[in-house]
Structure formats: C-alpha cells, structure tokens
Amino acid sequence: MPLGTLDRTPPPFFKQGMSALTKLVFFSAFALFLMVADTRFKLTLPLRAALATALHPVERVLLVPVRAWDTVHDYFTGIADARERETAALVRLAAQAEVAARVGPLTEENQRLRELLALRPQFTVTTEAAEVLYEAADPYTRKIVIDRGATHGVAPASPVIDAAGVLGQVTRVYPLASEVTLLTDKDAAIPVLNVRTQARAAAYGDPSTVAAGAGMELRFLASNADIEPGDVLNTSGVDGVYPPGLSVAKVVSVDRRAGTTFAKVTLAPAARPDSVRHVLVLQPLGLQLPPRPTEPAASEAASRRRPGARR
C-alpha cells in the first residue's frame, strides 16, 4: 500500500480536542474575568453566602473532634495555669480593695457633674457573645471566623474584643458566621489615643513583626513626637466605630532615625488572637451617633451666621 494513502489521524479514543496552550489561555482569561467581575460588581457574593451557609453544618461537624481534643488538652494543661491566675487575682483583689471602696462616691460625683454641665450621657454598647470557629484559609491575611452572623444581628464594621482588648473588626457577614479582620492584618487600621500624653494617632497592622512579639505599628508619627516604650494606646472613639477607652496596644520600641521625618514605632497588640476562643461583638458606635447634617442645611446655617444675611 502506498504511504500516501495511510490514514494518520488518531483514533477517536485518543482525540484530545483543544491543545493544552489553548486551554491555558482560555481558562486564564476566564479566571481573570471572574476576579475583575467579583472585585467591581460583587457577582460571586451571593454564591459565597449560599456556599458558606450550606457548608456551615459540615464545618461544625468536622470541628467536633478538634474541639474535643482541645477540651481534653486544656483540662490537663490548664490546672496549673488556673491556680496561678487565681493567686494573681487574689493579689490584685487585695490591692484594689481600697480603690473599689471609692468607686461609688466617684461615680455619683461624676453623674452630678455631668448633669450640672448638661453633657450628653455616655453611649450604651450592645454586645453579642461569639466563639471563634477557625482561622481564614488565606495565608496572606490575618482573619478569623466566628459563629455569629446576620441572623444574630451582627453588622459589618462591628468591633470585636476579648478580655484583653480590641481583637479586630467584622469585615464580611454571612447568615450564620462572620469574618473578622484582626488588627495585625496588613490592611487593618484603627485610631488610637496615647493614655499618657492624650495624643491621637493611627495604628496599622504589620504582620512581618508578629513573630517578634509585635504585629502593629504607628505610621506618619513625627520623629520628635512624645512617645516612649511602654506607653498604652486605647481607642479614641473619633472614627465612629470603636467605643473610646478600649485597650488596643502597647508601645514596644521607638526608632528615631537621624535624617528621617517620621519615627518607626512598633506596637504589641493587647489581644492575642492565637489563644482566644470566645469574643464579644460590639455594635458600631456610628449607629448611635446623630445623623450628619445635610449639605443644604449646613449652608443655610452658615448663611444665617453671615453678617448682613437676609432673614
């Protein structure tokens, strides 16, 4: 048989369809399209919510043996720690006995002064107890997932705290769970107040220093600013999210380099997310603030204050 008459096409079983390069280009373009569409138009947000709701029972079932092991481990390893904490608590209780005796008169005096000055009463914050389920799977972020969501009244931007201080902020809410971005995340920021100097600043997450016992930093702080290692930073309350007075971090080191405009201030967060299991979700402070005046109303008020304005 002449060679030119041979059928060199592969049998139907071995036909592969499109080439590997064509498949790579197609699926790469499709993945890029999905990422852009999700970023700009939030197309996959309903799908994520439905998938998170459907997988929530499975996650809880898979966490049962892990929680059982943690419970047994905590029982056998936490007895000595509990005794040490009890001893320390008794010492603190004895030291604070005198201070506690003066709390009642000081509270009454504070209330009388506020009534005398006609000051607005302090905010009452609604809280919701939650339990940490697991850490987010993304290795480039510092996030945890808690077992409270939209059905429990959790709103986006809600502060999350533990017994030590501020832990983070709710950034994504599902029906039965919520995602909390920790203060040590690279995109986290929180306004703070130096307790010693009463100076306001902004603290940002710095994951590169978590291994060294830090995890946060103060940015855009002048090199001659009055700040020292050991200063305690609390929430200032000016952002309309965090209530004032919550513990945030402590200054670890201050690097005032010659020839630079800003100082490098490293902070250690008050709350340690690696060991926390139960948290409190607070209602955002902005929900209790009065609404901002509209632009026409503000301009009308300014015209009234202007000399010679028509009435």
Side-chain angles (χ1 to χ4, degrees), residues 96-108:
Q96 295 176 355
E98 182 181 358
V99 178
R102 296 180 296 180
V103 169
L106 290 177
T107 303
E108 295 178 358

Side-chain angles (χ1 to χ4, degrees), residues 56 60 129-133 145-149 152 176-178:
H56 185 73
R60 299 303 298 267
E131 186 176 2
V132 178
L133 295 178
V145 178
I146 58 177
D147 63 346
R148 291 294 185 269
H152 305 93
L176 299 177
S178 298

Side-chain angles (χ1 to χ4, degrees), residues 142 184 206-217 248-253 265-274:
R142 295 282 296 173
T184 54
D206 187 9
S208 61
T209 60
V210 172
M216 300 178 66
E217 64 175 350
V248 176
K250 180 181 291 186
V251 178
V252 176
S253 64
V265 183
T266 306
L267 310 176
R272 294 296 178 181
D274 297 334

Side-chain angles (χ1 to χ4, degrees), residues 204-281:
Y204 296 83
D206 187 9
S208 61
T209 60
V210 172
M216 300 178 66
E217 64 175 350
L218 285 182
R219 299 178 185 173
F220 314 116
L221 194 68
S223 58
N224 60 349
D226 184 10
I227 188 167
E228 300 175 356
D231 285 352
V232 178
L233 305 179
N234 292 347
T235 53
S236 61
V238 298
D239 57 344
V241 176
Y242 296 92
L246 299 178
S247 180
V248 176
K250 180 181 291 186
V251 178
V252 176
S253 64
V254 180
D255 186 5
R256 308 179 191 271
R257 299 180 181 178
T260 58
T261 306
F262 302 109
K264 181 176 178 57
V265 183
T266 306
L267 310 176
R272 294 296 178 181
D274 297 334
S275 59
V276 67
R277 292 186 59 182
H278 299 89
V279 298
L280 281 180
V281 182

Side-chain angles (χ1 to χ4, degrees), residues 111 114-115 117-124 237 244 285 288-290:
Q111 181 65 26
R114 296 187 69 90
E115 293 176 356
L117 298 175
L119 295 178
R120 178 177 50 81
Q122 295 180 351
F123 295 106
T124 57
L285 187 60
Q288 305 182 43
L289 294 174

Side-chain angles (χ1 to χ4, degrees), residues 17-28:
M18 295 185 298
S19 64
L21 180 60
T22 305
K23 292 180 181 179
L24 176 63
V25 173
F26 173 76
F27 286 110
S28 299

